[in-house]
Amino acid sequence: MAEPSHDLFPIKRRGLMLVLSSPSGAGKSTIARSILDSDPEIDMSVSVTTRPKRPGEVEGRDYIFIDRTEFDLMVNRGQLLEHAKVFDNYYGTPRAAVMDALAEGRDALFDIDWQGTQQLAESAIDDLVRVFILPPNSRELERRLNTRAQDSQAVIAARMAKASDEMSHYAEYDWVIVNHDIEESVEQVRAILCSERLKRKRQVGLGEFVKGLRAG
Ligand code: 5GP
């Protein structure tokens, strides 16, 4: 993987896990895409899933599509950092890619639900930054869910019910953004990312840097 950009961040740091959770339709995917496109130090953590590929989705970019047998094998071998059943499908985060990224000073962005976030909190709280995105109101949430043409009415209805359940978990997150305006929300996520990267515990190269400063 690429060296961290020294123009942006001169001191060696440990990467972080940025979790974005929200009910479907709150704008999370757009926010995530915008961060990934504009920030060279963060990569998407690509999950494995047992759900069928949707039109337009790309293997290895959106998900790694596997069957249930393979999924169970990965769970049993401890190859998933967290995993959960969402709707009727199974999802999980491959461990190795994330651990390598953090050690190299790169961040990983996660689009996972509250169940996965709770598991990450149990195993890696020091590396975790949890952001919850809420829609501005229920009318807007419904409207956004209905514009996803590729999903059937039954899927939309199930998502609406699930959204209510998902939103009840907002208090388990470190940061909460109400997505009134996508550009503003992206700026807010950038501000969180910047602050979290500057935390002393993540700047593992500080001792060496200050030693150099003092030596003159
Ligand atoms: P979708 O099938 O629409 O892509 O995702 C459905 C839900 O599964 C979303 O809430 C998404 O955040 C969640 N999800 C996607 N990947 C993972 C994962 O690796 N772990 C967990 N826990 N949830 C995931």
Side-chain angles (χ1 to χ4, degrees):
M1 266 198 211
E3 276 285 298
S5 161
H6 292 280
D7 293 332
L8 287 181
F9 217 93
I11 293 166
K12 186 171 159 49
R13 70 176 178 94
R14 178 162 170 82
L16 55 83
M17 302 184 192
L18 179 70
V19 171
L20 292 184
S21 294
S22 75
S24 301
K28 169 183 58 178
S29 310
T30 315
I31 294 170
R33 185 53 45 209
S34 189
I35 295 290
L36 290 166
D37 288 348
S38 61
D39 190 320
E41 296 192 23
I42 190 163
D43 302 303
M44 189 77 197
S45 161
V46 182
S47 298
V48 292
T49 183
T50 61
R51 87 150 158 73
K53 199 197 280 183
R54 295 195 189 118
E57 284 186 331
V58 177
E59 163 76 32
R61 185 196 69 186
D62 299 294
Y63 283 105
I64 298 161
F65 296 93
I66 59 175
D67 62 22
R68 185 65 203 279
T69 312
E70 234 180 306
F71 186 89
D72 289 344
L73 261 178
M74 290 188 84
V75 172
N76 292 335
R77 289 179 183 145
Q79 290 172 329
L80 298 180
L81 207 47
E82 60 75 35
H83 59 93
K85 187 179 182 192
V86 185
F87 306 114
D88 288 327
N89 300 299
Y90 294 84
Y91 297 82
T93 301
R95 181 188 298 275
V98 174
M99 288 304 144
D100 289 350
L102 299 195
E104 287 169 17
R106 298 187 57 78
D107 305 319
L109 192 152
F110 295 75
D111 174 350
I112 62 174
D113 78 335
W114 62 269
Q115 304 172 76
T117 310
Q118 281 186 353
Q119 290 174 47
L120 289 184
E122 281 161 23
S123 64
I125 191 74
D126 283 350
D127 292 323
L128 193 60
V129 178
R130 295 164 291 192
V131 180
F132 198 87
I133 297 162
L134 288 169
N137 54 59
S138 56
R139 245 181 313 107
E140 182 62 16
L141 178 65
E142 201 162 347
R143 193 188 64 74
R144 289 185 198 169
L145 280 177
N146 277 307
T147 55
R148 283 193 175 184
Q150 70 260 49
D151 293 326
S152 68
Q153 282 304 315
V155 169
I156 291 166
R159 271 164 203 255
M160 209 51 203
K162 187 84 183 168
S164 168
D165 177 49
E166 182 84 23
M167 283 190 288
S168 71
H169 291 276
Y170 76 92
E172 295 156 26
Y173 287 70
D174 306 303
W175 307 87
V176 179
I177 292 174
V178 178
N179 184 20
H180 293 285
D181 173 83
I182 207 88
E183 286 308 313
E184 192 186 329
S185 301
V186 168
E187 277 315 309
Q188 288 170 341
V189 174
R190 282 203 186 104
I192 291 167
L193 202 45
C194 179
S195 311
E196 291 283 353
R197 283 170 174 167
L198 288 170
K199 280 198 168 154
R200 181 166 47 79
K201 69 176 180 188
R202 299 212 163 92
Q203 298 198 65
V204 293
L206 265 182
E208 202 182 317
F209 180 71
V210 173
K211 207 160 111 189
L213 286 180
R214 296 181 71 199

